[in-house]
Amino acid sequence: MTTAAAPTLEDVRAAAVAIEPYLSLPTPLLQSPALSELLGAEVSLKLEFATPIGAFKLRGGLNLVGQLSDAERAAGLVSASTGNHGQSVAYAAQLHGARAVIFVPEGANADKIAAMERLGAEVRSEGERFDDCIRLAHSFADANGMRFVSSGDEPALIAGVGTAALEVLEWQQPETDVVIVPVGGGSGVSSWCVVRDGLGSSSKIWGVQSAQAPAAYESWREGSVVTRPNLTMAEGLATGAGFELPLSIMRESLDEFVLVDDDAIGDAVVTMLEHQHLLLEPAGASTLAAALGNRERLAGRKVVLVCSGANITRAQLQALLDSR
């Protein structure tokens, strides 16, 4: 198990202060009459795509890079990403005048690559899958004396993204019954667990991952990091191995973990567009897919769906619309 200590509620509160100058917070919590009717529940959407990079990850990148030493920032940062985490590192690195090198899988989301490059990052499209990129990024960082930034095993990153949970559970809607959070590496859902536990809230936290990339789910079930096939089209959920720090938090505190097929995620992108007129990337719509598959369990409850990102390409959207 990882030697890194899990962040505390106090760490999340400190992160909220640290990132506030750089973001317009809080992100909205939008009540959805249409989805409430569809699900038979009181549904609200946490619009975590309402950031400069169109994704929740920016909270974590700003907090982590802001805490690094001058020497670490001067040496430069290296990370692996399917897109949104890389954007968060690139954004924060540019803010602090640091070099950022991001490894992405071959054929990664072109819009996300363009966004990282726009933010000054050097993007290297190497490796068939995200997990290959992690190994390449580690090697590059070691060879060049740079700081490797994990997308999961970073307490400061988890504390940063946890500020969204603090907004909802402390004052936007403390009486929430269930929060459903997308899971790739697990930084987001583990941060919700940290905040929920720290506040002593009665809210239940559910994670959702693609059945085509179930590594975090299987790691949670088995109690140790495992490797599983990573074949999902939802790049925000695409990881072939769990991360130790999020896993340790999830094992302690996560109430439920749901797997949904990619087809259901694609349907949820279209359903969100039709019913709420919001355009989400597949990972961001996975929470709706999980809710649709669990209508009976959610009926009559106050439910928050975390809409984690909106960085869908035109080609991705067209393919989903054409197939339905």
Side-chain angles (χ1 to χ4, degrees):
M1 195 57 68
T2 180
T3 57
T8 65
L9 179 63
E10 289 69 31
D11 293 325
V12 178
R13 292 195 188 281
V17 174
I19 69 177
E20 191 275 334
Y22 308 109
L23 290 177
S24 178
L25 297 175
T27 56
L29 184 68
L30 177 70
Q31 294 183 339
S32 175
L35 293 178
S36 295
E37 180 180 65
L38 182 64
L39 290 166
E42 296 181 46
V43 178
S44 297
L45 308 175
K46 182 59 170 167
L47 305 186
E48 280 296 276
F49 57 81
T51 75
I53 67 167
F56 82 105
K57 289 281 191 179
L58 184 55
R59 297 175 184 261
L62 287 171
N63 191 50
L64 186 148
V65 178
Q67 291 186 19
L68 296 179
S69 67
D70 291 342
E72 287 176 307
R73 287 197 288 261
L77 312 176
V78 183
S79 196
S81 176
T82 57
N84 289 337
H85 168 69
Q87 286 188 75
S88 77
V89 173
Y91 189 102
Q94 184 181 65
L95 187 68
H96 290 280
R99 178 189 178 196
V101 180
I102 311 296
F103 284 77
V104 303
E106 297 168 0
N109 183 309
D111 289 359
K112 294 179 181 180
I113 291 175
M116 285 184 275
E117 292 176 337
R118 189 179 303 120
L119 293 167
E122 176 186 341
V123 180
R124 295 178 171 238
S125 298
E126 301 177 25
E128 184 178 357
R129 297 286 175 185
F130 170 63
D131 313 279
D132 302 316
C133 294
I134 294 176
R135 291 187 288 272
L136 292 167
H138 261 300
S139 296
F140 187 90
D142 290 343
N144 292 276
M146 300 172 73
R147 168 64 154 84
F148 175 77
V149 179
S150 171
S151 62
D153 289 327
E154 299 278 4
L157 189 153
I158 294 173
V161 298
T163 56
L166 190 64
E167 291 166 6
V168 172
L169 298 181
E170 187 160 59
W171 66 273
Q172 283 182 319
Q173 191 172 287
E175 67 277 15
T176 297
D177 294 315
V178 179
V179 183
I180 308 181
V181 189
V183 181
S187 63
V189 75
S190 62
S191 77
W192 279 84
C193 291
V194 167
V195 172
R196 187 274 312 274
D197 293 350
L199 292 173
S201 167
S202 61
S203 301
K204 302 299 184 183
I205 309 300
W206 293 14
V208 56
Q209 189 168 51
S210 169
Q212 280 67 53
Y217 171 83
E218 295 290 350
S219 296
W220 176 73
R221 279 174 53 92
E222 297 191 17
S224 60
V225 173
V226 301
T227 300
R228 291 292 184 268
N230 176 10
L231 303 174
T232 180
M233 59 85 178
E235 68 264 12
L237 308 180
T239 180
F243 288 85
E244 289 185 346
L245 180 55
L247 173 62
S248 68
I249 298 169
M250 288 189 288
R251 285 285 295 178
E252 181 73 22
S253 298
L254 186 62
D255 296 292
E256 182 65 85
F257 209 148
V258 177
L259 286 181
V260 292
D261 284 328
D262 274 8
D263 283 346
I265 295 174
D267 289 342
V269 172
V270 177
T271 299
M272 185 68 78
L273 183 59
E274 291 177 338
H275 284 74
Q276 193 56 51
H277 307 293
L278 289 178
L279 181 57
L280 301 179
E281 64 183 274
S286 65
T287 54
L288 177 57
L292 289 168
N294 289 273
R295 281 187 179 91
E296 292 184 1
R297 298 177 63 192
L298 298 175
R301 306 175 80 180
K302 287 192 174 182
V303 180
V304 171
L305 305 181
V306 177
C307 301
S308 57
N311 295 312
I312 186 170
T313 67
R314 180 173 179 172
Q316 286 174 323
L317 176 60
Q318 191 66 59
L320 290 176
L321 292 173
D322 288 346
S323 64
R324 282 156 179 85

